[in-house]
Amino acid sequence: MSIWWSLHLRREAASVPLARRLLLGAMETAGVDPDVSYDLSVALSEACANAVEHGGDGGIGGCSEAYRVTAYLDGEMCRIEVADSGPGFDADRPAPEPVRVGADAEEGRGLFLIRELADHVHVGNKPGRGGAVVSFDKILKWRKDAPLMAV
């Protein structure tokens, strides 16, 4: 079984729950275990929130007002990529490493949560055009009654 979809979303807070609900709906329909679906939906929410917050001011012709979410369910793996058209990460410094923040912090948990919830995470810049890319994947578990379970 293989499914993929891509969304082009405006950099608005309302786009984050939309992306999350679409992912949860696709995974529920496919028969992915609810715990795995939840972990991936939280990671996606964090990546989208980062794109909304930090993904502007670098696009050409208004492109900085949008970001893209792509999800691939392929066999036993789900891969999600969130790419924006902002300035990306500073080329002179490596992509930021997640840090643990205090329990009362309002910001700064995104990359840490993504790394905790996914099996593999890559943070970098889009080649050539600029913009940040956060991609992550997770091995899927399936419900016993999964209609689209990989075999």
Side-chain angles (χ1 to χ4, degrees):
M1 185 260 323
S2 183
I3 300 170
W4 75 269
W5 51 263
S6 186
L7 301 170
H8 294 262
L9 300 164
R10 291 188 57 79
R11 285 185 44 242
E12 298 172 349
S15 68
V16 177
L18 171 64
R20 181 178 178 146
R21 284 192 298 266
L22 285 169
L23 177 67
L24 284 169
M27 294 187 133
E28 180 181 359
T29 300
V32 175
D33 178 82
D35 291 336
V36 172
S37 297
Y38 178 78
D39 287 352
L40 284 168
S41 73
V42 171
L44 174 62
S45 295
E46 293 298 331
C48 290
N50 283 344
V52 168
E53 178 72 22
H54 305 291
D57 303 330
I60 299 170
C63 290
S64 66
E65 294 303 317
Y67 67 101
R68 185 189 75 235
V69 175
T70 306
Y72 307 88
L73 278 77
D74 190 18
E76 296 293 321
M77 182 70 65
C78 178
R79 175 173 208 119
I80 297 172
E81 180 179 285
V82 178
D84 64 48
S85 297
F89 297 105
D90 187 344
D92 295 330
R93 294 183 306 177
E97 286 296 316
V99 294
R100 216 177 263 276
V101 296
D104 59 345
E106 299 271 332
E107 296 179 337
R109 290 191 181 102
L111 289 176
F112 178 78
L113 282 172
I114 294 168
R115 288 194 193 275
E116 289 296 310
L117 296 169
D119 294 326
H120 179 264
V121 179
H122 178 265
V123 178
N125 290 326
K126 290 192 289 191
R129 300 182 318 206
V133 178
V134 175
S135 62
F136 51 94
D137 53 54
K138 188 167 183 78
I139 296 172
L140 298 175
K141 295 178 188 170
W142 300 89
R143 295 188 326 249
K144 288 183 175 36
D145 63 341
L148 300 178
M149 184 167 80
V151 282

